[in-house]
Each structure stands twice: as structure tokens, then as C-alpha cells.
Amino acid sequence: MSAPVLSRSAAAEQDPAVAVRRSKKPSETTWLIAGTVLVGLLAVVSLFVGVSDVSLPRLLAGDPEAWDLVWISRVPRTLAVILAGTAVAVAGLIMQLMVRNRFVEPSTVGTVESATLGILVVTVLLPAAPIMMKMGVASVFALGGTALFLAVLGRLPARNTLLVPIVGIMLGGVIGSVTTFFAYKYDLLQTLGNWMIGDFSGVLRGRYELLWIVAALTLAGYLAADRFTVAGLGADFTTNLGMNHKAIMRLGLVLVSLISAVVVTTVGAVPFLGLIVPNIVSLLFGDNLRRAVPWTALFGAGFVLVCDIIGRTIRFPYEVPVGMVMSVLGATIFLALLLRTRKRHA
């Protein structure tokens, strides 16, 4: 009786050399740790970039002026960049799953414009209103604007891939026009520009702490990741699994709206981030939200850190708002993704 013949794959599995090579392949956790270290290094670089001289020798020598500058300005700014980048990228990922379209984000569906309109309304009616009230009103307007977009989307005869972002951009354009009109009427165009262009130059200790709210909202999005993944497969599929599709959509609506409102109120709009980062993560790791959220957070934080460092150094000692840098880089990356997708389908 002849000995059984093993297949090539089975023989490879029994080969110790193959097993050693496979065991040496870095796991996803290892890559996540490496990505976290890289973002940490970018954060350290961010602490030492700026007009004022903050160098390692001065800090090691115990220079009180250098340490005050670090704790009052550099650390709050770096934390604000990381928190805003993480939250906006995750909000874009949730929005794309809710709408089931890869070409949308809060700034292309009217959410950011609605939050800006809310801030303008409270600024006109209650100029001395505290920041928490502005954030609350902006959140309500952002909720209303996002809900309006979803309602319009639900009445479309077909979910064409390109029609969805076009509708969102048109709705955002209408809301933005109304906002600009009233800002012009009440001589608030310059203030409006500060909200529409993300800028971290004014972040100091005591002016960024609201962004810790978006950290909690991002964590909530991660905890509900499995539900958003199922909801992204459609209402019928979600209902068949015994889940409430409308409740999940409402949760996503609240998370996206609150994140957008807090970020706009604190540092202004951060364009393209919620659009390109989820697409890159989706290409690399798929559409499982629980798996994608940590990578989206890392990519988002790292991308905004890079843009902020570029904005502080490209015209040194002057500073370019991070929103402008992100607009250029984000549009370039997004066009590259579109051309790559077109070439793959061709």
C-alpha cells in the first residue's frame, strides 16, 4: 500500500522553514503599534516647530519661558490637531457607511455648513454667548442639516454613486449661500472665514478642551462599529438580523453632527479629511468598521499633523492655515484615488 501523497500546500504547512517565515510576518497589531509610534513622533516634531524658539537644550536646561510656551501653546495645539484629525476622519467613515457612498463626508453633505450657520445665528442674536452655547446651537443646526440631506436622499428614485455627493454639495451650497448673505449683512464675513477654514494657530490652553468631547464621541463610534457595519448593508438586512436600522442611523446622525459642530466651533472646518482617509483605509483593510476605525483614527491624526507642520514651515516665519494645506493635498490625493479606481475598472 503506497504512502499518502501530500498536496503542495499541505507539505508547505508541515515544512518548519515555511512556518518560521509565516510566524515572522508582522501582525496587524504590530502595524498598529508602529503607526501609533509614527504619529507620536510627528507629535513630538510638532512641539518644536514654530516661530518662538523652543529647543530641546532649553527644555533640558529648565528654561521657564520655554516650558511655559510648551504647556500653554505647543502641547494644546498638538493635542487639538490629533483630536480633530481623529474625530473628523472617523465621522467621515461613519457618514459613508450611513449613506453607502464613498464620495461623501460631513463637508460635502451640508453638515459643516449647517453648523456654521448655527454659529452665525447665535453670534448675531447673542454676541456674548459662551462657547458651550455656540457649540450646542451648532450641533442642533448640524443635526438638522444632516437629517435634511438624508431625507432628500431617501426621495431620490435611484442611488446613483455620483448623484449622492452632487445632491450633498448642492445642499451645502444653498446653506453656505444663506450663511454668507447674513454674514455680509451683519459685517461678519471675516469671522465666517475663520469658521470655514481650519486653523490651529489660535489654539491655546483653555481654548481647545471642547475637543475632548469628540474623543468621547469617537470612542462611542468605535463601540457601535459592528452596528454601523451591519447598517451599511441596508435596512432589510439589518432588520433581518433583529436590529433597529432607524435607531442605528439616528445614532450615526448624532455622532457625525456633534463631531462636526465641535470641530467647527473650536478650530474651523477641516476639508477633505473625512473623504480621503476612509477611502484609503477601505482600500487597505476593507469595510469592517471595527477593524477600520483604529486605522482611520491613526491616518486622520497623522495626516492633519503633517499638514499642520507643512503650514507652519512652508512660509516660515508666517503660517498657512491647515485648511488650505489640506485642501491642496486632499484634492490631489482624492483625484489620484479616482484615477486609480477608473484605471482598475478599465
Side-chain angles (χ1 to χ4, degrees):
M1 186 173 181
S2 60
V5 179
L6 294 176
S7 64
R8 183 175 299 178
S9 60
E13 289 177 359
Q14 293 185 3
D15 188 352
V18 175
V20 170
R21 286 197 298 269
R22 287 182 177 177
S23 63
K24 289 183 179 179
K25 185 179 179 180
S27 64
E28 186 170 331
T29 303
T30 303
W31 285 113
L32 272 173
I33 295 173
T36 304
V37 171
L38 180 59
V39 171
L41 291 175
L42 287 172
V44 172
V45 172
S46 176
L47 294 177
F48 294 97
V49 176
V51 177
S52 300
D53 181 24
V54 177
S55 60
L56 188 59
R58 289 186 64 187
L59 294 178
L60 294 177
D63 188 334
E65 183 180 349
W67 278 107
D68 285 344
L69 186 60
V70 167
W71 292 116
I72 294 174
S73 175
R74 299 291 173 81
V75 169
R77 176 171 183 155
T78 302
L79 289 175
V81 169
I82 293 173
L83 292 172
T86 298
V88 173
V90 173
L93 179 63
I94 295 174
M95 172 65 74
Q96 290 176 8
L97 278 177
M98 288 172 56
V99 183
R100 298 160 68 184
N101 190 289
R102 287 293 175 187
F103 296 103
V104 299
E105 66 153 345
S107 64
T108 61
V109 299
T111 304
V112 171
E113 290 82 1
S114 300
T116 306
L117 177 60
I119 301 174
L120 179 66
V121 168
V122 73
T123 302
V124 171
L125 298 180
L126 298 170
I131 189 69
M132 286 297 294
M133 179 178 290
K134 291 182 179 180
M135 187 200 73
V137 175
S139 300
V140 172
F141 273 73
L143 279 168
T146 311
L148 177 61
F149 168 74
L150 293 176
V152 172
L153 198 62
R155 294 182 177 275
L156 294 179
R159 287 285 186 93
N160 184 280
T161 304
L162 296 178
L163 184 61
V164 173
I166 289 175
V167 170
I169 292 171
M170 290 174 61
L171 178 62
V174 172
I175 298 173
S177 299
V178 173
T179 305
T180 303
F181 171 78
F182 284 103
Y184 176 78
K185 181 178 181 180
Y186 292 100
D187 197 21
L188 291 172
L189 281 178
Q190 185 173 358
T191 305
L192 179 64
N194 294 334
W195 297 326
M196 295 303 296
I197 300 176
D199 187 11
F200 294 92
S201 61
V203 174
L204 298 171
R205 186 173 61 193
R207 296 185 183 179
Y208 83 101
E209 284 75 8
L210 280 178
L211 288 174
W212 289 108
I213 296 175
V214 301
L217 296 172
T218 304
L219 178 60
Y222 175 74
L223 295 176
D226 293 335
R227 297 180 179 273
F228 288 125
T229 301
V230 174
L233 298 175
D236 294 336
F237 187 85
T238 306
T239 305
N240 289 336
L241 290 180
M243 297 182 183
N244 190 329
H245 183 263
K246 290 184 178 180
I248 298 173
M249 293 292 287
R250 284 195 293 268
L251 174 62
L253 174 66
V254 170
L255 290 178
V256 171
S257 301
L258 289 178
I259 288 173
S260 302
V262 173
V263 172
V264 170
T265 304
T266 309
V267 296
V270 185
F272 283 103
L273 182 64
L275 184 64
I276 61 172
V277 170
N279 276 283
I280 294 174
V281 172
S282 177
L283 288 174
L284 296 176
F285 305 104
D287 293 331
N288 187 318
L289 195 62
R290 185 170 294 280
R291 184 186 180 195
V293 165
W295 286 109
T296 303
L298 277 178
F299 273 80
F303 185 64
V304 182
L305 277 169
V306 169
C307 291
D308 188 50
I309 293 171
I310 292 174
R312 281 188 274 177
T313 56
I314 194 172
R315 292 192 64 213
F316 191 85
Y318 304 102
E319 185 171 330
V320 178
V322 69
M324 293 184 179
V325 179
M326 293 188 68
S327 295
V328 175
L329 292 181
T332 303
I333 295 173
F334 185 61
L335 286 174
L337 290 173
L338 285 177
L339 293 176
R340 179 184 182 277
T341 303
R342 180 182 177 183
K343 183 178 180 181
R344 185 179 61 185
H345 286 296

